[in-house]
Structures are given as structure tokens and as C-alpha cells.
Amino acid sequence: EAQVTQNPRYLITVTGKKLTVTCSQNMNHEYMSWYRQDPGLGLRQIYYSMNVEVTDKGDVPEGYKVSRKEKRNFPLILESPSPNQTSLYFCASSADGPEYEQYFGPGTRLTVT
Amino acid sequence: GQNIDQPTEMTATEGAIVQINCTYQTSGFNGLFWYQQHAGEAPTFLSYNVLDGLEEKGRFSSFLSRSKGYSYLLLKELQMKDSASYLCAVNQAGTALIFGKGTTLSVSS
């Protein structure tokens, strides 16, 4: 089944404790991205990647890191999480860029206390 | 700068027609998407407009006017299951995707 998977689905952590949210797609997609979704603010793009080893900042990259060492994986790293990073995070992928349909993962609900 | 505006909330009754508007001001416009998102779920693709005009897909249609920076999503024969958030998103410069804040549609019987 073609899909985007994210892990974990739910995470409660404390300020400053490094964490990684994994994202993997099995559709051989070139383009992958991370979003956060907050009430009243909608979906905002954190980082995107056009291809392996090519990543770029979206609208809200501060406090986040990403890497794209393999085509299928695009982990999101929070080196020192803070409470303002409490949010619902979505990973998405598409065939060859943002002009193609985005396939979203199921979401990761992160709470930083 | 970039700005995408949609109404926050709309209500309608089953069987009716509803039009959700989206206006945008972005640099490097390359096309506009509509996504549907049910509460607690991930967004799913509805439509993509690159050229001016109307695209019809079953009960859903989407319209784009590039000169006016305007799009709308038209939902016909509304059903209860259409209660969801509808997200307008602009393909910016072929690299980034910028979303509006979404319109929450409530369909009542």
C-alpha cells in the first residue's frame, strides 16, 4: 500500500530533550516536506526537500533540523524542544515537487512541557 | 510578502451548494491546490488549478483567476460527510507550498 508513515504518533517530552520524528514514504517520491499545524494558524511549512541531500527552509524553520540521506526518509529533529513547539506535525511527499499532489502522513502530536 | 485568505467558518445544509473562496497574494505563483481535512485526520487532495478556469470533478469544482488572485471551491449536493476543513494552498515558485488557515465547513441536516 502506497503510504507515508510517521513515528511516533504521539509524544510528550520535556523542554531541552532532543527528539526525532521519523518520516518514510514507499512511493519513490522526490519531494518531501514537514508542516506544523496550530489552531488559528493553519498548516505552515517547516522544511522541504526536492531530492536526496537537497533541503531548504520553509516558513517556520527555527528550532528544527532535517536531513535527507535516502530518498524514502526525511526525519525531523528538534535539538532542544521548547513549549512553543507543541503542535501537530505532518510529513508529506509528492512525485516531483509541490506542483504534484501531496500525500500526507497521519500526523504526530507533540507536547513539550 | 505572501498572504492567503479564506473565511474561517461556513455553515450549510444537506443537499445545498456552497462556495468557499480563497484570495492570495504571493510571489512566484505556480498553481493553487484545494485539500480537505476531516477533524483529527491528515489533509487529502481535492484539486489543482494552474490555468484560469473551472475544473470539475464529481460534486466538487474548483475555479482559478490568476489575474485576480482568486480561487473558489464549489461543493454541490452537500452531504454530512462533507463537514471538514478545506485548505487552499499556493505552489510558490515551484519549490514551496503555502497554505491558508483553512475554512471549517459544517453541514447540518
Side-chain angles (χ1 to χ4, degrees), chain B residues 5-54:
Chain B
D5 284 320
Q6 315 177 224
T8 304
E9 294 180 335
M10 298 183 71
T11 59
T13 53
E14 257 188 318
I17 299 173
V18 71
Q19 178 175 312
I20 303 174
N21 296 324
C22 172
T23 58
Y24 62 89
Q25 289 177 300
T26 62
S27 56
F29 177 84
N30 267 16
L32 188 143
F33 285 92
W34 285 97
Y35 282 84
Q36 180 190 59
Q37 185 179 24
H38 285 100
E41 298 181 9
T44 54
F45 171 82
L46 288 177
S47 67
Y48 183 48
N49 293 66
V50 179
L51 302 175
D52 286 0
L54 187 68

Side-chain angles (χ1 to χ4, degrees), chain A residues 9 31 35 37 40-43 45 48 50 59 88 90 97-102 104-107, chain B residues 2 30 33 35 37 40-45 48 87 91-92 94-102:
Chain A
R9 295 288 314 280
Y31 185 86
Y35 299 86
Q37 188 171 37
L41 296 177
L43 272 167
Q45 196 172 43
Y48 60 90
M50 298 292 287
D59 279 340
L88 178 59
F90 287 103
E99 67 271 31
Y100 290 84
E101 173 185 350
Q102 301 295 307
F104 285 83
Chain B
Q2 55 206 23
N30 267 16
F33 285 92
Y35 282 84
Q37 185 179 24
E41 298 181 9
T44 54
F45 171 82
Y48 183 48
L87 315 178
N91 173 6
Q92 184 181 42
T95 53
L97 199 56
I98 312 299
F99 281 82
K101 295 177 182 176

Side-chain angles (χ1 to χ4, degrees), chain A residues 25-43:
Chain A
Q25 50 92 6
N26 63 0
M27 295 169 278
N28 202 36
H29 283 171
E30 301 284 342
Y31 185 86
M32 297 186 75
S33 55
W34 276 102
Y35 299 86
R36 61 178 290 174
Q37 188 171 37
D38 302 289
L41 296 177
L43 272 167

Side-chain angles (χ1 to χ4, degrees), chain A residues 14-83:
Chain A
V14 295
T15 298
K17 186 177 180 182
K18 181 179 178 179
L19 67 93
T20 299
V21 184
T22 64
C23 172
S24 183
Q25 50 92 6
N26 63 0
M27 295 169 278
N28 202 36
H29 283 171
E30 301 284 342
Y31 185 86
M32 297 186 75
S33 55
W34 276 102
Y35 299 86
R36 61 178 290 174
Q37 188 171 37
D38 302 289
L41 296 177
L43 272 167
R44 293 178 293 168
Q45 196 172 43
I46 303 170
Y47 271 94
Y48 60 90
S49 170
M50 298 292 287
N51 210 330
V52 175
E53 301 291 1
V54 179
T55 63
D56 211 341
K57 296 177 181 178
D59 279 340
V60 288
E62 295 77 21
Y64 304 95
K65 285 176 58 176
V66 293
S67 68
R68 187 94 181 273
K69 294 184 169 56
E70 310 164 275
K71 184 183 272 193
R72 63 183 294 127
N73 296 323
F74 191 45
L76 180 69
I77 302 156
L78 284 72
E79 296 265 358
S80 183
S82 62

